[in-house]
Amino acid sequence: MSTVKPQLVRAFIDRYGLDLDDLPPMARLLNRCAKVVELTDGDWLCHEKDPANGLYMLAEGSLRVQKRDARNEYRDIAVAEAPAIMGHMGLLTGVFRTAGLCADPGGATVFLLSSTDVDVLMKDNGQEGDLIRRVVLGAMLDQLDRATRDVQTRINSGDSAPLPDGWVQT
């Protein structure tokens, strides 16, 4: 198992609102539990509809977020740049992957926490459990913030995209 570089852990600490005091225990947690996955251009981390097998912490590089179209061909829908956390919604809800993740040119380094480890950590009442819950909550808040800003941008541009199921035009 590769050693997790402290500067990569620091990027997650800064992005997801943890304290600098959290750096050593987070580095220990990742060194103990995470598999370091090195991807090169075009390597797949996961495909759409794969089982939710872990929490992905993009530490370096970028990943193309892709979904299949009506012809079953992958289309880029976004690019995730480090540091970023992905896969948390599938772990929490038990749904399959809603998109595929493919390495961009230049590759990517991902810390992979297995679904088993995440489950154990989420239930842990100690420092590691607290850290993983705060990281996942930070990722969820970040995702909500980006979606809210996207909606505001659409409103400001006059985009009248169809409303999702369950929404009513007022």
Side-chain angles (χ1 to χ4, degrees):
M1 191 173 286
S2 300
T3 302
V4 174
K5 299 174 193 169
Q7 67 268 26
L8 299 181
V9 178
R10 171 70 189 262
F12 287 102
I13 297 289
D14 292 343
R15 170 132 189 215
Y16 294 107
L18 300 175
D19 300 320
L20 278 179
D21 293 344
D22 295 324
L23 182 59
M26 181 60 95
R28 283 192 302 273
L29 181 153
L30 292 173
N31 277 311
R32 184 173 58 80
C33 297
K35 175 182 176 186
V36 179
V37 180
E38 300 287 345
L39 302 167
T40 58
D41 181 25
D43 287 347
W44 287 90
L45 182 60
C46 68
H47 289 88
E48 185 178 0
K49 298 185 181 175
D50 280 354
N53 65 339
L55 179 71
Y56 304 132
M57 299 176 73
L58 176 59
E60 290 182 304
S62 57
L63 295 169
R64 293 189 313 271
V65 181
Q66 299 188 334
K67 288 192 68 71
R68 292 182 190 273
D69 64 16
R71 293 184 308 227
N72 208 29
E73 295 176 8
Y74 275 109
R75 301 285 181 199
D76 290 346
I77 59 169
V79 174
E81 296 180 349
I85 295 176
M86 294 162 284
H88 52 287
M89 296 305 290
L91 288 179
L92 296 174
T93 63
V95 299
F96 289 94
R97 297 287 177 218
T98 58
L101 299 171
C102 182
D104 249 355
T109 301
V110 177
F111 306 149
L112 170 60
L113 288 170
S114 74
S115 56
T116 302
D117 284 335
V118 172
D119 188 49
V120 167
L121 288 165
M122 292 292 278
K123 294 173 183 172
D124 179 75
N125 289 323
Q127 185 178 35
E128 288 185 344
D130 179 59
L131 282 172
I132 202 69
R133 285 187 297 274
R134 288 192 287 146
V135 164
V136 169
L137 182 59
M140 293 171 72
L141 291 172
D142 182 63
Q143 189 175 3
L144 178 61
D145 178 61
R146 284 183 287 116
T148 300
R149 282 187 280 124
D150 181 51
V151 168
Q152 188 62 55
T153 299
R154 289 174 146 212
I155 290 169
N156 292 345
S157 71
D159 186 358
S160 60
L163 293 172
D165 290 342
W167 289 67
V168 178
Q169 183 83 32
T170 59

